[in-house]
Amino acid sequence: MNQQYQQKAYWRESAKLPDYTCLEESRATDVVVVGGGITGITAAYLLSQKGVRVTLVEAGELLSGTTGHTTAKITAQHGAIYDELIQHFGIEGARSFYDHNDHALEWIRQTVSQKKWDCNFEEQDAWIYSGTESSMQQLENEQKAYQKLDIPFRTASKLPFDIPCKGALVMPNQAQFHPVKYLAAMAEEIIAMGGRIHEHTKAADLQEDEDEIQIIMESGHALTCQHVIIASHFPFYDGLGLYFAKMKAERSYLLAGKWSAPDPGGMYLSIDNTVRSIRFFSYDGSRGIIVGGERHTTGQGVTTEHHVEALREFAHAQIGPVDFSYHWSAQDYTTLDKLPYIGAVSNRHPRVLVATGYRKWGMTQGTMAAHLLSERILGISTSSADLFDPSRFHADPALKKVISINADVAKHLVKGKIEEPPIKLEELPAGEGSHVKWNGQNIGAYRDDDGMVHAVDLTCTHLGCSVNWNKAEKSWDCPCHGSRFTVDGEVLNGPADKPLQVIHTVKEIAE
Ligand SMILES: Cc1cc2nc3c(=O)[nH]c(=O)nc-3n(C[C@H](O)[C@H](O)[C@H](O)COP(=O)(O)OP(=O)(O)OC[C@H]3O[C@@H](n4cnc5c(N)ncnc54)[C@H](O)[C@@H]3O)c2cc1C
Ligand code: FES
């Protein structure tokens, strides 16, 4: 594959993280946190501060998930959302959502300032703008929603660069930071307070009785606890909460590079059909720019090259020449009604807590989820618990969404294995993957740089849709519920919890 399109993520490359050992024994603790992203680390930090014994387990390395691949805007302005929230949850519900996100931003601000964490925290205004006449009505409705909710704002008629803009709505006093530096500092404090962190420790199963909960790792070691927080992005344990049927996985792309022109400040997001996200940041002693967009359902859509080039062309045409040294992609989940799922994983498991579905706004929502879940464990009740309860069901518009998400899934199940026309194995170049025809069968094949073919059955082990090749990350992605697998079939993202079946004749195929 063209080297130009290989993933290179800025945040993880520009921050140092210590290594944490894997779990090598079974033992007891008060709370187990599964997942080392912003939700898990913040929750472990808050509980450790209260003297709770916490053990955080991370399947890979800390911050290797979406938090290490985010844009890291910290804002309560989550696109144009408040008008829609008022329609579905009323003024009180929409205001409560704003307040929670605003408090999360304020908590991050205060914590960074008090602890003096070096994480490039910067105050910035957050902008949403309409690039076309057709999205102006939405912007006007959003402005009215801000007025109803008493959210501070100002309007603008143009952006500080040459991007077409019909109008903009600005939420002042928001922020941005380096997410890995911020959370690495927090992780160090968890250890200093007596908490434990284990990397390369994947939670595989959960068993619960009246007295305790056991989290069983892939290694066979188990942690016994009173509460568990599932912060694994897609919940590793479903508890019959049917998360795969009530969340949609979407991937987006980011480019980052040095910015030589004066920095106009601000964090920008278009609300047109073609979404674009822009922000500036501290980059190797000068300024850098991040440009994002090109979202699509995981496992569906066109090639990585197309998405990266579309963003590059947009930047060059409308912002100015940038030498983008980094590009990466990541995914996040959107719930049926666009509010996150925070609370008991299902009604049957009140001590098994989950937080997910942040719709690409997890810096504040992950922080607020950590607060809500740790307060719940500490016995502090919050009036907003019902708003985010994963077991809620709002008929309007959730029902339509359930039908449309699952109709889309059904389409992929029915289409079976013909999503991409298969090529011949000998046509597969090194560094590439594709559906290939082999012995009359369609299989998934990746040829590594040594010429060895890694071949898998294309059937997703979750519910049987056919996986597609993702060039950027060299993975097999499922278009139905967003599961992702390595070239050797190992699970990268759930809901699937079993690997793709490896075709046992890899060497034979390679010959
Ligand atoms: C392109 C993009 C841009 C974004 N930009 C912004 C932005 O500007 N502002 C904003 O607020 N939000 C943004 N978001 C959203 C935000 O980054 C995410 O919502 C947030 O990082 C999710 O955090 P998390 O802790 O829930 O998950 P993650 O960060 O994914 O952490 C989950 C962790 O759990 C681990 N794990 C999984 N399964 C297991 C298991 N079985 N056992 C142990 N560990 C496990 C994973 O390895 C992972 O490290 C963006 C998202 C994307 C995709
Ligand atoms: S993720 Fe559900 S079928 Fe693949």
Side-chain angles (χ1 to χ4, degrees):
M1 168 172 135
N2 189 334
Q3 297 297 313
Q4 190 183 356
Y5 297 107
Q6 279 185 11
Q7 291 268 104
K8 199 170 168 219
Y10 178 75
W11 307 122
R12 294 214 12 117
E13 290 209 7
S14 57
K16 280 209 175 67
L17 276 164
D19 293 329
Y20 296 94
T21 56
C22 60
L23 182 72
E24 285 173 341
E25 55 175 6
S26 295
R27 58 181 160 77
T29 184
D30 295 335
V31 176
V32 173
V33 175
V34 178
I38 190 162
T39 313
I41 295 175
T42 311
Y45 176 77
L46 290 169
L47 288 166
S48 299
Q49 278 188 319
K50 297 291 177 192
V52 177
R53 285 183 309 159
V54 183
T55 301
L56 184 153
V57 293
E58 162 57 48
E61 290 175 5
L62 228 51
L63 300 166
S64 56
T66 301
T67 305
H69 297 83
T70 181
T71 320
K73 297 175 179 174
I74 317 165
T75 175
Q77 187 190 55
H78 299 176
I81 185 71
Y82 287 100
D83 179 48
E84 195 176 331
L85 292 185
I86 290 174
Q87 286 175 39
H88 299 147
F89 303 99
I91 298 275
E92 209 182 313
R95 177 72 209 190
S96 172
F97 180 75
Y98 169 78
D99 284 342
H100 277 290
N101 283 283
D102 190 46
H103 290 159
L105 160 61
E106 185 53 27
W107 183 82
I108 295 172
R109 183 185 276 126
Q110 295 281 338
T111 306
V112 170
S113 154
Q114 282 163 13
K115 299 282 175 185
K116 300 193 175 15
W117 287 340
D118 173 17
C119 62
N120 306 357
F121 183 91
E122 294 174 12
E123 301 284 341
Q124 296 286 355
D125 293 346
W127 295 54
I128 48 174
Y129 68 92
S130 299
T132 58
E133 230 19 274
S134 57
S135 55
M136 269 310 282
Q137 187 60 52
Q138 196 188 3
L139 194 73
E140 281 161 22
N141 293 344
E142 192 67 1
Q143 183 181 329
K144 285 186 197 140
Y146 280 28
Q147 282 161 334
K148 285 183 200 158
L149 296 173
D150 222 3
I151 296 175
F153 72 92
R154 67 174 193 277
T155 56
S157 55
K158 62 188 184 88
L159 303 179
F161 19 66
D162 241 359
I163 298 178
C165 173
K166 303 283 177 196
L169 188 58
V170 186
M171 194 181 276
N173 307 322
Q174 308 298 292
Q176 61 184 30
F177 61 4
H178 189 307
V180 174
K181 286 186 182 172
Y182 165 75
L183 290 159
M186 197 178 276
E188 260 182 51
E189 293 232 357
I190 294 171
I191 301 293
M193 288 186 282
R196 302 210 188 176
I197 296 177
H198 296 291
E199 290 182 325
H200 306 291
T201 303
K202 185 170 182 180
D205 198 9
L206 183 153
Q207 285 170 9
E208 186 181 11
D209 63 25
E210 272 177 23
D211 299 324
E212 59 190 24
I213 303 167
Q214 267 210 330
I215 310 296
I216 300 136
M217 310 304 158
E218 227 174 36
S219 62
H221 299 304
L223 288 170
T224 307
C225 60
Q226 290 307 309
H227 287 94
V228 57
I229 294 181
I230 301 178
S232 53
H233 206 208
F234 192 92
F236 87 95
Y237 174 78
D238 187 84
L240 296 182
L242 300 180
Y243 288 84
F244 69 86
K246 55 185 194 184
M247 289 206 296
K248 181 173 173 176
E250 271 191 347
R251 293 198 78 72
S252 304
Y253 298 76
L254 295 170
L255 308 185
K258 188 169 172 174
W259 177 250
S260 307
D263 176 356
M267 311 182 293
Y268 304 86
L269 186 74
S270 60
I271 59 164
D272 306 301
N273 282 341
T274 307
V275 175
R276 293 290 179 252
S277 170
I278 301 166
R279 85 162 173 94
F280 301 87
F281 68 107
S282 190
Y283 178 75
D284 293 347
S286 63
R287 295 302 280 172
I289 183 169
I290 300 181
V291 176
E294 293 292 298
R295 66 179 182 196
H296 63 84
T297 303
T298 301
Q300 302 181 19
V302 293
T303 64
T304 307
E305 283 99 316
H306 173 94
H307 295 299
V308 172
E309 285 310 322
L311 286 179
R312 211 187 290 274
E313 275 167 28
F314 159 78
H316 286 184
Q318 302 194 343
I319 305 175
V322 188
D323 178 16
F324 287 111
S325 316
Y326 296 87
H327 90 256
W328 66 93
S329 61
Q331 77 188 37
D332 210 3
Y333 299 96
T334 299
T335 67
L336 298 174
D337 56 15
K338 299 193 179 168
L339 287 189
Y341 297 135
I342 304 170
V345 71
S346 65
N347 289 334
R348 294 165 174 230
H349 301 281
R351 294 175 301 160
V352 178
L353 308 177
V354 71
T356 188
Y358 303 149
R359 216 182 116 257
K360 301 198 194 83
W361 295 105
M363 298 302 102
T364 52
Q365 292 191 41
T367 306
M368 98 187 186
H371 279 265
L372 288 169
L373 295 184
S374 54
E375 281 163 12
R376 183 171 171 145
I377 289 172
L378 295 166
I380 303 164
S381 67
T382 49
S383 55
S384 55
D386 289 349
L387 189 63
F388 305 121
D389 184 351
S391 303
R392 69 185 179 266
F393 185 72
H394 296 279
D396 172 25
L399 187 58
K400 270 196 239 147
K401 271 282 177 58
V402 173
I403 292 165
S404 90
I405 288 177
N406 289 302
D408 192 42
V409 168
K411 186 181 81 187
H412 286 278
L413 280 166
V414 170
K415 276 172 90 179
K417 301 186 193 314
I418 53 165
E419 185 79 8
E420 275 176 21
I423 61 168
K424 291 185 188 145
L425 187 59
E426 54 272 28
E427 291 167 0
L428 187 66
E432 261 305 351
S434 177
H435 291 187
V436 301
K437 197 97 187 158
W438 177 74
N439 273 357
Q441 196 191 345
N442 280 354
I443 59 166
Y446 165 72
R447 192 188 296 280
D448 67 24
D449 291 338
D450 298 325
M452 179 63 89
V453 173
H454 303 243
V456 291
D457 187 313
L458 290 165
T459 311
C460 176
T461 54
H462 178 228
L463 290 178
C465 291
S466 186
V467 295
N468 289 321
W469 179 242
N470 171 342
K471 277 187 176 212
E473 288 141 290
K474 295 188 178 174
S475 58
W476 293 105
D477 296 359
C478 181
C480 287
H481 312 106
S483 289
R484 298 179 55 243
F485 305 86
T486 67
V487 293
D488 291 315
E490 294 301 321
V491 178
L492 284 169
N493 291 100
D497 57 6
K498 292 186 186 58
L500 293 178
Q501 194 193 332
V502 173
I503 310 279
H504 287 292
T505 46
V506 175
K507 198 158 179 301
E508 191 183 319
I509 289 174
E511 282 161 359

